[in-house]
Amino acid sequence: MREDHAEQLHIYRECLNVEAALKRQVMEAVENKYTKCLRNRSTQRIDASLESLFVTLFQRYGLVTPHQLAKFEKEVCEHRYDVLEPLTTVYDLIDDLELMGDAAQTPYSEQQLVSYALEILRATQDFQDGIKSWNRRAPALRTWANFMTHFDDK
């Protein structure tokens, strides 16, 4: 029991150290004018949690305009996937679209994200069997997570 406690204490301290290191990296990467509202006026430290830090930064400065979102959506629609590249390039692109939509306060549904990815793969003409088997799935199973698993297996 004492050994378990010591191990848990070690893990807890390690987590605190990782969080502190991440905060330091954010503080070095982000200009002071953006973090001034989070800093203690006396100590200049940021006592907020890492999560609060990111939420505050994104709420105040991470907004994406409708024009920026439309431009990126167009880039996604025009993206030509090279089948020699890993599929993660497509997944990352769709994940970025989802994040942009959230930042623009115009979130995409899971079905929309899957549709964009399907169109990118369909344009290659190399995933026809995978697309057919995907479309035979029950609609409730056509999630983004299942999409990635399905096409990684093909």
Side-chain angles (χ1 to χ4, degrees):
M1 187 153 133
R2 184 171 275 206
E3 292 165 0
D4 288 342
H5 174 71
E7 177 65 21
Q8 289 176 355
L9 185 61
H10 173 74
I11 291 169
Y12 173 74
R13 287 182 178 152
E14 191 172 324
C15 288
L16 289 178
N17 290 336
V18 168
E19 184 172 346
L22 289 172
K23 273 189 193 178
R24 280 192 303 275
Q25 288 178 345
V26 169
M27 303 318 344
E28 290 173 12
V30 177
E31 292 181 47
N32 283 340
K33 65 183 176 182
Y34 297 114
T35 59
K36 186 177 182 177
C37 64
L38 295 163
R39 292 182 184 274
N40 178 305
R41 288 179 188 239
S42 301
T43 65
Q44 292 301 307
R45 285 188 54 210
I46 294 179
D47 296 323
S49 69
L50 193 58
E51 180 183 6
S52 296
L53 171 65
F54 280 119
V55 166
T56 301
L57 289 173
F58 279 108
Q59 285 176 342
R60 288 181 179 229
Y61 309 109
L63 295 179
V64 173
T65 67
H67 174 73
Q68 290 169 316
L69 179 61
K71 183 179 174 187
F72 188 69
E73 186 176 312
K74 183 178 181 206
E75 290 175 22
V76 170
C77 291
E78 294 173 352
H79 180 77
R80 296 296 165 243
Y81 170 64
D82 179 352
V83 295
L84 298 176
E85 295 292 321
L87 276 169
T88 55
T89 59
V90 174
Y91 305 155
D92 290 346
L93 185 67
I94 300 301
D95 286 339
D96 289 347
L97 179 63
E98 180 180 28
L99 291 172
M100 291 276 289
D102 290 345
Q105 298 176 353
T106 310
Y108 289 92
S109 71
E110 199 163 24
Q111 292 79 20
Q112 287 174 302
L113 298 173
V114 168
S115 292
Y116 282 113
L118 272 173
E119 287 308 310
I120 291 170
L121 296 185
R122 185 175 284 120
T124 68
Q125 301 294 317
D126 288 334
F127 292 91
Q128 301 313 318
D129 292 339
I131 292 171
K132 286 177 186 174
S133 63
W134 172 258
N135 288 331
R136 285 193 295 266
R137 287 177 169 227
L141 297 176
R142 293 188 217 153
T143 65
W144 180 234
N146 287 344
F147 179 91
M148 292 184 284
T149 302
H150 175 80
F151 284 96
D152 280 341
D153 292 343
K154 297 297 172 200

